[in-house]
């Protein structure tokens, strides 16, 4: 949170990153309770910092995920670099760049449920297509991969994605 403030992270984007962190941490804790090895602190910090590269004070790399990962690395948060770098929507299309670890998958997935507030996967993809109409075809290619990732996240859990807003008090 201090780092976000230091980089003058835009006020309007705090709701996005704190909601992404709430969702990702909730899922991490539930998975941990079911015996899945996951570092909840890494998930929380990576979720909070995943978009820091969008801050006006940030350097410019290939994309905002690369910039955010670059900042995490520079500040000595090595364990946050990959979860942050791999959260970019189209990473799932590349087996090398796609999220691999549970921490990486949870940050990626939670980010795809939240616009400014919680909107769910469909709402988020609708929002992305509206904001980046030239990338609609790429988003359509990502969609089945994201659905598969959702299935993987919820397989060990006794509730589904549709239960998240109620469980988290989001709407
Ligand atoms: Fe994000």
């Amino acid at each position: 949170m201090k780092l976000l403030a230091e980089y003058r992270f835009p006020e309007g984007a705090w709701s996005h990153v704190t909601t992404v962190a709430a969702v990702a941490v909730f899922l991490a804790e539930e998975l941990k309770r079911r015996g899945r090895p996951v570092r909840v602190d890494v998930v929380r910090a990576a979720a909070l910092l995943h978009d820091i590269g969008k801050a006006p004070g940030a350097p410019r790399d290939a994309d905002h995920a690369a910039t955010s990962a670059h900042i995490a690395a520079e500040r000595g948060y090595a364990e946050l670099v990959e979860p942050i770098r791999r959260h970019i929507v189209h990473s799932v299309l590349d087996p090398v760049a796609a999220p691999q670890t549970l921490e990486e998958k949870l940050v990626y997935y939670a980010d795809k449920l939240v616009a400014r507030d919680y909107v769910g996967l469909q709402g988020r993809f609708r929002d992305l297509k509206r904001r980046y109409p030239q990338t609609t075809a790429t988003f359509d290619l990502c969609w089945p991969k994201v659905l598969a990732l959702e299935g993987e996240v919820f397989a060990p859990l006794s509730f589904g994605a549709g239960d998240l807003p109620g469980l988290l008090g989001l709407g």
Side-chain angles (χ1 to χ4, degrees):
M1 298 292 252
K2 261 194 226 167
L3 213 50
L4 289 174
E6 183 187 320
Y7 278 81
R8 289 172 283 120
F9 194 61
E11 201 134 314
W14 281 76
S15 156
H16 170 73
V17 295
T18 54
T19 307
V20 170
V23 171
V25 165
F26 178 77
L27 290 170
E29 283 173 342
E30 290 294 323
L31 288 163
K32 197 172 176 177
R33 285 206 302 148
R34 282 160 180 82
R36 297 303 190 280
V38 56
R39 289 167 300 167
V40 179
D41 53 340
V42 168
V43 169
R44 179 183 295 107
L48 285 170
L49 293 176
H50 78 273
D51 279 342
I52 194 169
K54 289 184 174 177
R60 287 284 163 258
D61 293 287
D63 56 56
H64 81 277
T67 303
S68 305
H70 172 172
I71 292 170
E74 217 168 56
R75 304 301 287 246
Y77 300 117
E79 69 277 33
L80 308 184
V81 170
E82 291 308 317
I84 291 174
R85 190 201 312 280
R86 292 168 188 269
H87 93 270
I88 194 129
V89 185
H90 56 75
S91 77
V92 289
L93 299 177
D94 175 353
V96 176
Q100 317 282 338
T101 68
L102 199 41
E103 290 83 2
E104 291 162 11
K105 288 174 181 175
L106 290 175
V107 172
Y108 180 96
Y109 175 66
D111 178 55
K112 306 305 167 287
L113 298 175
V114 180
R116 185 190 169 103
D117 298 301
Y118 184 96
V119 291
L121 268 191
Q122 284 188 328
R124 174 71 154 130
F125 270 69
R126 220 179 295 129
D127 176 63
L128 285 169
K129 286 179 180 179
R130 194 168 44 226
R131 282 162 52 209
Y132 308 104
Q134 71 284 6
T135 321
T136 296
T138 304
F139 294 140
D140 286 338
L141 287 174
C142 293
W143 180 251
K145 307 273 185 191
V146 179
L147 284 183
L149 179 56
E150 175 172 78
E152 207 186 308
V153 167
F154 284 95
L157 302 177
S158 57
F159 55 88
D163 301 316
L164 279 178
L167 289 167
L168 281 154
L170 304 164

